[in-house]
Amino acid sequence: MEIEKLLDNNASACYQCEQARGPGCNTFKGVCSKSPETTAIQDHITWLCMQLAAAAVQNRAKVTDEQLVLFNRAMFTTLTNVNFDDDALMRYAEDLTAELTTLGVSGVNKSAAEAVATLKDYGLAHRIHKFGETVAGLRETVVYGIRGAAAYADHAFVLEGLDPVRKETWMNVEAMAELNKDDLSVDALLGLTLKVGEANFGIMAALDKAHNAALGQPSFAPVNTRPVEGKCILITGHDMDDLHKLLEQCEARGVNVFTHGEMIPAHAYPVLRKYKCLVGNYGTSWRNQRKEFPLFPGPVLFTTNCIMPPREDYKHRVFTTGRVGFPGLTHVANGEFEPVIAAALEAPGYTKADVEAANAESPLLVGAMHAEVLSHAGKVLELIGAGKLRHIFFIGGCDGSTPGRNYFSDLAEAIPDDCLILTGACGRFRINRVKDYGDIEGIPRLLDVGQCNDVFSAIKIAVALSEATGLAVNDLPLSLCVSWFEQKAVAVLLTLLHLGIRNIRLGPSLPRFLTPDALAVLADKFALKPTNNKDAKGDLADMLAGEH
């Protein structure tokens, strides 16, 4: 029987990202271009992870490090825009099945067709029917938070192994195991979401420490955004270790490297800046790749998520590594990037004429991670005390293509000159070219704190200001306007809620997996509210008036 004929009643639906339509995408194909079959296999992987988590909790003494890492990486591979390759996904399912067998669990082995055929017994449509929309949505929130945290943990594994995030990985395993229970209440599920938020905070802290240890303490750095003559490679995603290895291999080969999207904070790290072949940043956020990549004169390397189905006119020069997969693309493993370098040497690269024809652009400033910003804490406190710094905003998070995201650029443009703006993640590209923000007595008004996991820096800055002023974090002249798209943003949001941060504005729309009842609970407990996409200036007035 054909797989397509096995799909019925929206059994393969998916609503884990901000682009989800109606009750969920993928009855035919998702907005992200994920097929129903891919969704089905990813749901099967998630179910296997639930079984592995339950078995691990029951047999803690027998659980190996390899099983914990597999749990994490399998969850990571189900995150939006990571892996579209059904064969690669099925290998994760097979590995999970094998590990379950070692822990005494049998009867879970399925082919891809069988996974789709039985999805009606545990897929999203089934879960909504079984638990009701509110409870099902909160259960999904736990899963999505774990998926997001898994992405950050995977980077930490690569740099320093499991030990720095062992405790947090077990916390996520325990939360996942709880989802095997059918009688979880709303309060119990809210407790699990905060547990995942706590785990993600520890993971982000460990990754921050690992990045600093491997790459040096980040500092302010201007980033070139114009072409540089020569052969070139574009690296995108989030993996700094992959970039480090690529730079080592390109330095002696005469191949330049440009960062893209969430890789732009790499220019802040001294160990990476020392490579002369790291010449600048090309393009903006992930959402524009199908417009920007055809114009780049070299190969593109995807290191983590944010891949979109490549167009035929550049598909032949796209490479993947790590957890990323897409049918028909060349996958390189273990940091051996010779195929990518060879493709760069064969490509035209930037010519002298390209450089001369390029528009003049001022560099973009990165590097406002916590240590750099807090080295200027005395000046910041002086400005606050003198009434020269009225308010601090965080405007950042995921970028996306749905209407309403101009809210964030409109808000940034309207913010008065006596305010600072922290930004980060790919949402930075919504605001970092809106205007020249200038500075307040030498302190740049627009401060880029780094990748999405570097929201940890924003948290550290807020806590330091709280300690210095004697005000609780929620009483600081600080407002958070967070744009979300996928599950890493969910993990970050859960971290902020775990820390008790209130009055967060979330947009451009609220998660489809949270019903009005669930949102009412979050609004009551944390004062979580939607962005007013039609009136950014009205939101700004409220925030400046102390309504955050």
Side-chain angles (χ1 to χ4, degrees), residues 437-448:
Y437 293 90
D439 63 80
I440 304 177
E441 294 190 6
I443 303 295
R445 287 192 56 237
L446 183 64
L447 296 168
D448 190 327

Side-chain angles (χ1 to χ4, degrees), residues 227-235 246 250 253-259 277 279-280 282 295-301 317 319 340-351 354:
V228 174
E229 185 177 356
K231 304 293 186 177
C232 51
I233 293 170
L234 186 64
I235 184 168
L246 179 66
C250 286
R253 304 291 295 278
V255 175
N256 292 327
V257 176
F258 288 83
T259 56
C277 61
V279 296
Y282 172 86
L295 303 177
F296 185 78
V300 180
L301 175 64
R317 52 185 174 86
F319 296 79
V340 188
I341 295 172
L345 293 173
E346 293 178 2
Y350 281 118
T351 65
D354 293 330

Side-chain angles (χ1 to χ4, degrees), residues 22-311:
C25 295
N26 288 348
T27 306
F28 300 103
K29 180 175 282 190
V31 175
C32 68
S33 295
K34 184 170 63 175
S35 72
E37 294 80 15
T38 301
T39 301
I41 296 170
Q42 289 183 346
D43 251 351
H44 179 54
I45 288 172
T46 303
W47 180 79
L48 287 171
C49 285
M50 285 177 59
Q51 309 319 305
L52 182 62
V57 169
Q58 293 170 6
N59 302 275
R60 189 178 291 256
K62 297 180 181 180
V63 175
T64 65
D65 287 1
E66 290 76 15
Q67 288 167 341
L68 291 175
V69 171
L70 175 61
F71 167 85
N72 188 87
R73 288 183 168 166
M75 289 299 291
F76 179 13
T77 202
T78 64
L79 190 143
T80 297
N81 287 358
V82 172
N83 202 320
F84 294 78
D85 188 333
D86 291 354
D87 290 338
L89 289 168
M90 281 306 300
R91 287 193 287 273
Y92 278 101
E94 291 161 2
D95 290 345
L96 287 164
T97 299
E99 296 302 334
L100 279 164
T101 300
T102 67
L103 292 173
V105 180
S106 60
V108 294
N109 190 28
K110 289 182 174 68
S111 67
E114 289 169 333
V116 177
T118 57
L119 187 68
K120 62 181 181 295
D121 297 325
Y122 56 82
L124 177 60
H126 167 77
R127 297 192 296 272
I128 292 174
H129 176 75
K130 180 177 181 178
F131 298 112
E133 290 187 4
T134 296
V135 170
L138 288 171
R139 294 172 71 95
E140 296 302 300
T141 304
V142 175
V143 171
Y144 302 161
I146 293 172
R147 287 177 178 172
Y152 301 145
D154 190 58
H155 297 314
F157 294 162
V158 169
L159 291 167
E160 295 198 340
L162 176 62
D163 280 346
V165 291
R166 183 183 299 276
K167 172 188 172 185
E168 290 79 11
T169 301
W170 268 111
M171 291 173 68
N172 283 334
V173 167
E174 291 163 355
M176 195 74 168
E178 285 292 296
L179 295 180
N180 287 285
K181 299 176 180 177
D182 289 349
D183 59 350
L184 294 174
S185 66
V186 168
D187 285 343
L189 288 166
L190 285 173
L192 287 180
T193 64
L194 299 184
K195 180 173 183 173
V196 172
E198 180 183 1
N200 187 59
F201 180 69
I203 291 168
M204 291 195 300
L207 183 55
D208 175 80
K209 183 178 180 180
H211 276 155
N212 292 349
L215 306 174
Q217 185 64 57
S219 59
F220 287 139
V223 182
N224 168 56
T225 58
R226 301 183 74 252
V228 174
E229 185 177 356
K231 304 293 186 177
C232 51
I233 293 170
L234 186 64
I235 184 168
T236 189
H238 303 77
D239 197 307
M240 295 296 179
D241 187 62
D242 279 334
L243 173 58
H244 193 186
K245 292 172 180 174
L246 179 66
L247 293 173
E248 288 178 330
Q249 295 169 50
C250 286
E251 187 79 340
R253 304 291 295 278
V255 175
N256 292 327
V257 176
F258 288 83
T259 56
H260 173 267
E262 277 274 64
M263 295 301 288
I264 191 173
H267 297 267
Y269 291 98
V271 170
L272 301 179
R273 280 205 305 265
K274 73 179 183 182
Y275 292 96
K276 294 180 181 178
C277 61
L278 182 61
V279 296
N281 186 80
Y282 172 86
T284 53
S285 77
W286 69 274
R287 72 183 180 93
N288 293 320
Q289 63 187 259
R290 287 167 61 87
K291 297 178 182 178
E292 295 173 347
F293 289 0
L295 303 177
F296 185 78
V300 180
L301 175 64
F302 277 91
T303 65
T304 52
N305 61 314
C306 297
I307 189 170
M308 297 174 71
R311 286 170 29 178

Side-chain angles (χ1 to χ4, degrees), residues 474 480 496 500-504 523-528 548:
N474 286 317
L480 282 71
L496 295 173
I501 307 297
R502 296 175 56 82
N503 297 299
I504 300 168
D524 178 64
K525 189 173 181 65
F526 301 104
L528 183 70
H548 296 283

